[in-house]
Amino acid sequence: ILKLQFLYLIGKRGWFKRDSTMYTRAQPQRQPDYNEEARQLFRRLNLPEDGSGVVPGRYNNLDVIFQNPATGAKVYVGNQSAARDALLLKQHGISHIVNCQELNSENYHEGKPGFHYKRFPISHWRRVIPEGAPDAQKGAEAAKYFGEVFAWVDAATAAGASVLIHCLAGAHRAGTTGCAYIMHAARLPAADAIHTAKTLRPAIDPIFDFPKLLGWFELGLGMRGAAAAAPPPPPAYVGAAPPPPP
């Protein structure tokens, strides 16, 4: 009885048996540091710690990834410098901003006339998609998770307002959100959306477990198996003006 009680206690307290004589506490899984990943990218590009500056052909403060074919409004992926620069935002017709950073990050122009914000801390995605859930549920939860923010983006572009999706570097968190938006708007599977996004903004790089999230979103959009999605619209709709009417 005492042995069973001891085994119960070490299991309850998060201990596991490593060999016949030693027990050690299971180490918690390290959480990715997306800000540090962004700073490493800046160092590789010889940019300041805040990512300000442009490396022609390799790194811009913001890049367009989609254009609404009816209104011409655009969706951009960009960095913190773009989000902070009110003049740059106005030059690009950006009034709606999706902040993909943590909840304690700053919305630089919140409360100012002409600016509207939506927080989307994408690094928290595992809190809404249960690890042990069936695949179909994970796909449905991923579609719901992205669906709310993308409905907000779609409403803005339909009204003629351009949107910036940003994080610190515009590479990982905002980059993954941008890939998912291309999947949603252009009906592309994850691999094609990532390739398209990287073509439009080379810094985009879904890292850590973000590819898994995009995979669940692909499933939620019905792009796997026999229930494949409808063919995507012409490629010109992504990152460029739509073709003129016949």
Side-chain angles (χ1 to χ4, degrees), residues 30 32-34 37 205-212:
R30 184 180 69 87
D33 187 339
Y34 293 100
E37 292 295 325
D205 183 20
I207 58 174
F208 298 125
D209 56 3
F210 283 153
K212 183 179 291 187

Side-chain angles (χ1 to χ4, degrees), residues 121-233:
I122 188 173
S123 64
H124 298 178
W125 72 269
R126 286 191 175 278
R127 300 180 186 181
V128 298
I129 303 178
E131 178 64 29
D135 287 359
Q137 180 182 343
K138 289 180 180 179
E141 292 291 348
K144 181 180 178 182
Y145 181 59
F146 282 115
E148 180 184 357
V149 67
F150 292 166
W152 189 83
V153 172
D154 289 344
T157 60
S162 289
V163 179
L164 172 66
I165 300 171
H166 88 90
C167 59
L168 179 55
H172 308 122
R173 290 166 289 185
T176 300
T177 306
C179 291
Y181 187 77
I182 290 174
M183 293 172 66
H184 156 80
R187 304 299 295 176
L188 290 176
D192 292 347
I194 293 171
H195 175 76
T196 300
K198 290 177 73 69
T199 299
L200 297 168
R201 180 172 176 81
I204 286 178
D205 183 20
I207 58 174
F208 298 125
D209 56 3
F210 283 153
K212 183 179 291 187
L213 173 59
L214 294 176
W216 295 131
F217 187 44
E218 179 181 282
L219 180 64
L221 291 176
M223 294 185 184
R224 294 189 190 174

Side-chain angles (χ1 to χ4, degrees), residues 22-222:
M22 184 180 296
Y23 291 85
T24 182
R25 181 177 293 276
Q27 295 298 314
Q29 186 176 5
R30 184 180 69 87
Q31 294 299 312
D33 187 339
Y34 293 100
N35 286 338
E36 178 55 29
E37 292 295 325
R39 287 188 285 269
Q40 289 181 21
L41 172 62
F42 297 152
R43 287 192 287 270
R44 290 197 299 272
L45 295 172
N46 299 311
L47 295 175
E49 283 288 300
D50 65 354
S52 58
V54 173
V55 179
R58 294 184 64 194
Y59 189 77
N60 298 317
N61 286 334
L62 76 173
D63 292 287
V64 63
I65 63 164
F66 187 81
Q67 179 164 306
N68 185 298
T71 67
K74 298 174 182 177
V75 177
Y76 295 84
V77 170
N79 62 14
Q80 181 176 264
S81 295
R84 190 166 45 212
D85 190 335
L87 179 59
L88 179 67
L89 296 175
K90 290 179 180 178
Q91 287 174 342
H92 288 83
I94 297 170
S95 59
H96 289 60
I97 301 164
V98 178
N99 184 349
C100 297
Q101 299 180 102
E102 302 306 301
L103 293 172
N104 61 354
S105 61
E106 184 175 357
N107 288 334
Y108 295 102
H109 309 292
E110 192 167 30
K112 297 178 182 179
F115 288 104
H116 308 273
Y117 279 85
K118 183 77 169 177
R119 284 197 180 272
F120 186 62
I122 188 173
S123 64
H124 298 178
W125 72 269
R126 286 191 175 278
R127 300 180 186 181
V128 298
I129 303 178
E131 178 64 29
D135 287 359
Q137 180 182 343
K138 289 180 180 179
E141 292 291 348
K144 181 180 178 182
Y145 181 59
F146 282 115
E148 180 184 357
V149 67
F150 292 166
W152 189 83
V153 172
D154 289 344
T157 60
S162 289
V163 179
L164 172 66
I165 300 171
H166 88 90
C167 59
L168 179 55
H172 308 122
R173 290 166 289 185
T176 300
T177 306
C179 291
Y181 187 77
I182 290 174
M183 293 172 66
H184 156 80
R187 304 299 295 176
L188 290 176
D192 292 347
I194 293 171
H195 175 76
T196 300
K198 290 177 73 69
T199 299
L200 297 168
R201 180 172 176 81
I204 286 178
D205 183 20
I207 58 174
F208 298 125
D209 56 3
F210 283 153
K212 183 179 291 187
L213 173 59
L214 294 176
W216 295 131
F217 187 44
E218 179 181 282
L219 180 64
L221 291 176

